[in-house]
Amino acid sequence: MKKMKLNVMAIMVLALMMSTQACKPKNAGNAVSADAAEKTFVAPGKYDEYYNFVSGGFSGQLSVYGLPSGRLLKVVPIFSVNPENGYGYSEETKPMLNTSHGFIPWDDQHHLDLSQTNGEIDGRWIFANANNTPRVARVDLATFHTAEIIELPNSAGNHSSPFITENTEYIVAGTRFSVPPDDKNGDVPINTYKENFKGTISFISVDKNSGNMDIAFQLQCPGVNFDLSHAGKGKSSGWFFFSCYNTEQANTLLEVNASKRDKDFIMAVNWKKAAELIKAGKGRKQAVKYASNRYDEKTHTATSTIKTEVTVMDVKDFPELVYFIPCPKSPHGCDVDPSGEYIVGSGKLAALIPVFSFDKIQKAIADKAFEGDYEGIPVIKYEAALYGEVKKPGLGPLHTEFDDKGNGYTTMFVSSEVVKWNVKDLKVLDRVPTYYSPGHLMIPGGDSRKPTGKYLVAYNKITKDRFLPTGPELAQSAQLFDISGDKMQLILDYPTIGEPHYAQAVAASVIKEKSVKFFKIEDNLNPYVSKGEATTKVVREGNKVHVYMTAIRSHLTPDNIEGIKMGDEVYFHVTNIEQDWDVPHGFAVKGAANAELLIMPGETATLKWTPDRVGIFPFYCTDFCSALHQEMSGYARVSPAGSNVPINFSTGTNLPKPDSSHSKK
């Protein structure tokens, strides 16, 4: 009977989803408010109010938009190679994509979190997760460059990540897929899941000055799947909360086998207690293998270090560290309001929103108001932790963010809407349709102690009819709402890069004036830098040829190179000696099997080229820099292996010999 009910429910949900996706609402074209153009217009030469940082999903990158205009400002490469600027192709940036599995040129980037001080966004860094091969990255918002990537051992599917504590002491990452720990024999039958598979929570420390990351410790947990998480704040500071599903510990056909229990869990972790235990020498040292990659802004070069140890604590061995709270089936979002008192869990197929009270959770722990345990972890009674339920908000609640007026806003995936509700009395105040099936949503500062209440962006999973058709693969849709009044107003649609999941935004004033304009040439410590044209050269070291080159409007030095032979590896070390902040130069050579370089003023970057034939190969600047950009080019001559053509290089002197046919008779 229970299985039959589940099947009926699944059919109903599927029917709802199909009807949502297949039919265009009659008001879909005229739902935008009359003054939308005025509210989103940013005049030429004017700046947007907010930076909007949006995850790139399957692009592996981070995209930056302006709000309220919805203009795409920049794509920051993080986990995927990027031919636009040579990230992952240049010799300096290749180490950023190194892992214990080797060089991996792609990942699935789901979530972002801006650094905070005292629970407020400080604009120093933004952190990004890699869902596929578990990694966490730090992007420096002074340069909008990826500064660091750290791999996570004992993990698979780094989805519940990279969420931060109030003062960015830790980035926290929960594994989506439970797997056998790295130091155990992984060659076990898959159907021994319950005996051999474990979930892992990683706590990554962040240096408060440099931002450098390292794995401080890991918590080994029961073999559930962690979906999302958020740190406590205010009164719940020192705690972290995670949504968990597959408490059935199924290993096949999860849509059925992970839906058998009435409820799953929100997991509450006392992370300050965990940090104290680690400081006291608790936990065990575990042999692992993971990559720690850092980019040095002074040498313009990344290095990759393989590390071999982490400290792990099994949570069942440390009472009062972790507790489970029952939550509607398959919770997705796990969100904490600005006060830190209310924790919102969202069951993906539920028709209500449970709101838990931190005070009540603490009282339940003190009173031991447990309904039992789950693999040694106390399970708090649902009613003992519950503040209340938002009744009939819609179907399929996923994620909640908050404004500065005491309201929560939740996306409803199945019923395609955003619902506004009051956090104190739990009454629904407003609802607006989205087009269609929203996943995450974003309010600037909406997961911090200081949210704003002006804009909300819904990130929809289905575009359908919002933009001109471009074949079966359509751009994802972001929809901007004005939430400054009592009623939400849709004011803009704009397409996004990849499939956005989570996003964050901050007032432009927090970041704009701190952004580095260019690299001072005198501070360039790259070992292959040329700080002026007089220092350029071409050097042979065995079968390696190093070209020390400069770029400036509108020529490359040297621009004639001879003496390269088949079998050589050629390294073009190009230094942009401009000191005007907005004049990058590009570099590419015919037949190179990688990409261009895009070199910022004062920066050095290296392109490796292995010629595959004898001949003359043009190279040139790929990024428009001046009226004579087309003339910014040169030639490399490749001779046969064993040739006696010596290394020779020049700029402006290697002119053709006079044509003797025009000599005087």
Side-chain angles (χ1 to χ4, degrees):
M1 180 65 71
K2 194 170 186 179
K3 186 176 288 188
M4 184 180 295
K5 287 181 179 178
L6 282 169
N7 289 338
V8 170
M9 181 183 72
I11 291 169
M12 290 176 64
V13 170
L14 181 62
L16 276 166
M17 291 175 68
M18 290 176 66
S19 64
T20 301
Q21 297 169 18
C23 301
K24 178 178 179 178
K26 292 181 180 179
N27 65 342
N30 57 13
V32 179
S33 58
D35 57 350
E38 179 183 348
K39 290 184 175 183
T40 61
F41 178 68
V42 177
K46 299 296 183 181
Y47 294 143
D48 280 283
E49 296 175 62
Y50 293 92
Y51 285 102
N52 180 205
F53 300 94
V54 183
S55 69
F58 42 69
S59 80
Q61 316 295 38
L62 159 68
S63 50
V64 186
Y65 297 83
L67 291 181
S69 72
R71 297 180 296 197
L72 177 64
L73 304 177
K74 187 178 182 67
V75 175
V76 180
I78 302 178
F79 297 112
S80 295
V81 294
N82 189 36
E84 181 182 346
N85 65 359
Y87 179 83
Y89 291 106
S90 72
E91 296 303 295
E92 285 84 0
T93 59
K94 282 180 182 177
M96 293 300 290
L97 300 180
N98 187 45
T99 73
S100 63
H101 304 274
F103 180 84
I104 295 183
W106 168 88
D107 218 299
D108 186 17
Q109 200 278 297
H110 278 215
H111 304 123
L112 302 164
D113 218 356
L114 285 158
S115 59
Q116 296 182 7
T117 300
N118 298 323
E120 298 181 20
I121 296 170
D122 58 31
R124 292 180 296 166
W125 309 300
I126 188 165
F127 301 94
N129 76 324
N131 189 35
N132 185 58
T133 302
R135 288 171 283 176
V136 167
R138 175 174 60 89
V139 174
D140 187 342
L141 293 179
T143 59
F144 284 72
H145 284 177
T146 301
E148 190 172 10
I149 297 177
I150 192 166
E151 186 182 5
L152 302 179
N154 296 317
S155 185
N158 174 39
H159 191 258
S160 187
S161 163
F163 298 103
I164 62 169
T165 54
E166 276 186 293
N167 285 290
T168 321
E169 301 99 331
Y170 295 105
I171 304 159
V172 183
T175 184
R176 173 182 176 184
F177 306 112
S178 289
V179 291
D182 288 2
D183 63 339
K184 302 295 183 183
N185 178 20
D187 183 18
V188 295
I190 297 173
N191 63 11
T192 63
Y193 185 113
K194 293 185 179 182
E195 293 78 29
N196 293 309
F197 291 46
K198 299 295 180 183
T200 300
I201 304 292
S202 299
F203 281 77
I204 303 164
S205 62
V206 181
D207 184 274
K208 65 181 179 180
N209 296 316
S210 67
N212 288 346
M213 304 184 296
D214 205 355
I215 299 175
F217 60 91
Q218 293 185 314
L219 300 181
Q220 183 173 290
C221 303
V224 299
N225 293 18
F226 297 107
D227 201 334
L228 280 167
S229 54
H230 270 98
K233 53 180 77 80
K235 63 169 56 183
S236 57
S237 178
W239 287 74
F240 227 99
F241 304 93
F242 299 81
S243 57
C244 313
Y245 67 104
N246 191 23
T247 55
E248 297 84 353
Q249 298 186 339
N251 61 275
T252 183
L253 202 62
L254 264 62
E255 62 178 318
V256 174
N257 294 319
S259 300
K260 293 181 177 179
R261 294 174 180 263
D262 292 333
K263 287 184 169 63
D264 280 314
F265 297 129
I266 296 296
M267 188 174 81
V269 178
N270 186 338
W271 69 259
K272 282 198 173 177
K273 183 176 182 64
E276 290 169 1
L277 290 168
I278 290 295
K279 189 175 181 180
K282 303 299 182 182
R284 65 182 178 88
K285 301 295 183 183
Q286 180 188 337
V288 292
K289 185 180 179 182
Y290 67 97
S292 175
N293 310 329
R294 289 177 182 163
Y295 186 81
D296 188 326
E297 291 288 359
K298 293 183 178 179
T299 64
H300 308 157
T301 302
T303 56
S304 179
T305 304
I306 297 296
K307 299 191 174 184
T308 57
E309 186 179 80
V310 291
T311 302
V312 180
M313 291 194 299
D314 191 326
V315 297
K316 72 176 185 302
D317 298 333
F318 296 91
E320 302 180 358
L321 192 62
V322 173
Y323 299 90
F324 283 126
I325 305 165
C327 185
K329 195 70 215 154
S330 299
H332 195 41
C334 181
D335 303 287
V336 182
D337 89 307
S339 74
E341 166 63 9
Y342 304 106
I343 298 98
V344 181
S346 298
K348 288 186 286 189
L349 302 181
L352 56 82
I353 303 172
V355 180
F356 301 102
S357 160
F358 181 73
D359 286 342
K360 294 188 72 173
I361 291 169
Q362 295 305 297
K363 186 176 188 303
I365 291 170
D367 296 343
K368 298 189 183 303
F370 306 137
E371 63 180 38
D373 71 88
Y374 181 88
E375 293 198 11
I377 309 302
V379 179
I380 298 172
K381 291 180 180 178
Y382 179 72
E383 294 77 11
L386 186 70
Y387 172 74
E389 296 173 340
V390 182
K391 303 290 188 181
K392 299 181 180 179
L395 293 176
L398 290 189
H399 299 284
T400 300
E401 295 235 329
F402 304 90
D403 66 14
D404 56 349
K405 304 176 187 69
N407 302 311
Y409 299 74
T410 304
T411 50
M412 299 290 165
F413 180 81
V414 177
S415 53
S416 282
E417 56 188 334
V418 173
V419 174
K420 175 182 177 181
W421 51 277
N422 183 268
V423 174
K424 289 292 180 64
D425 64 23
L426 306 182
K427 291 182 179 178
V428 172
L429 303 175
D430 190 25
R431 62 179 72 241
V432 290
T434 61
Y435 308 104
Y436 306 92
S437 299
H440 283 277
L441 77 165
M442 184 282 306
I443 293 172
D447 73 337
S448 73
R449 292 183 67 175
K450 193 176 181 180
T452 63
K454 189 169 186 179
Y455 297 120
L456 177 153
V457 181
Y459 296 95
N460 302 311
K461 296 301 183 185
I462 297 168
T463 307
K464 210 64 179 174
D465 46 35
R466 303 308 291 178
F467 308 116
L468 286 171
T470 54
E473 177 61 31
L474 301 174
Q476 304 290 321
S477 168
Q479 295 190 302
L480 177 67
F481 293 85
D482 177 354
I483 60 170
S484 59
D486 292 336
K487 297 294 183 180
M488 295 177 279
Q489 295 181 320
L490 175 62
I491 57 176
L492 184 68
D493 272 11
Y494 59 96
T496 59
I497 300 293
E499 181 198 358
H501 293 260
Y502 194 42
Q504 297 232 298
V506 64
S509 59
V510 175
I511 294 174
K512 180 168 65 73
E513 300 305 324
K514 299 176 184 178
S515 180
V516 173
K517 297 300 184 183
F518 61 88
F519 301 103
K520 293 181 180 179
I521 191 69
E522 60 267 27
D523 295 337
N524 185 331
L525 300 180
N526 187 295
Y528 298 104
V529 64
S530 297
K531 294 189 176 182
E533 293 183 4
T535 65
T536 59
K537 57 188 175 182
V538 180
V539 178
R540 174 178 289 282
E541 297 176 357
N543 73 326
K544 292 181 171 61
V545 176
H546 294 272
V547 180
Y548 295 73
M549 179 179 285
T550 60
I552 193 169
R553 289 165 287 184
S554 294
H555 62 273
L556 298 162
T557 302
D559 65 3
N560 279 207
I561 303 169
E562 300 185 67
I564 298 169
K565 303 173 186 178
M566 287 296 296
D568 284 345
E569 292 178 353
V570 183
Y571 295 85
F572 290 98
H573 309 291
V574 186
T575 301
N576 180 350
I577 57 175
E578 304 276 2
Q579 292 289 265
D580 195 353
W581 71 273
D582 64 342
V583 187
H585 287 294
F587 180 83
V589 59
K590 178 184 177 182
N594 36 36
E596 68 163 347
L597 299 176
L598 189 60
I599 312 116
M600 298 300 108
E603 187 180 32
T604 300
T606 300
L607 181 74
K608 180 183 178 181
W609 174 51
T610 304
D612 67 343
R613 66 195 68 179
V614 170
I616 300 295
F617 293 82
F619 51 80
Y620 64 104
C621 175
T622 55
D623 189 79
F624 185 86
C625 55
S626 71
L628 297 177
H629 166 71
Q630 285 291 94
E631 286 73 16
M632 193 169 173
S633 61
Y635 294 100
R637 173 186 173 187
V638 178
S639 301
S643 168
N644 60 3
V645 176
I647 289 289
N648 185 43
F649 59 95
S650 62
T651 304
T653 59
N654 187 29
L655 298 172
K657 293 179 180 179
D659 189 339
S660 60
S661 65
H662 294 285
S663 60
K664 292 182 179 179
K665 294 183 179 179

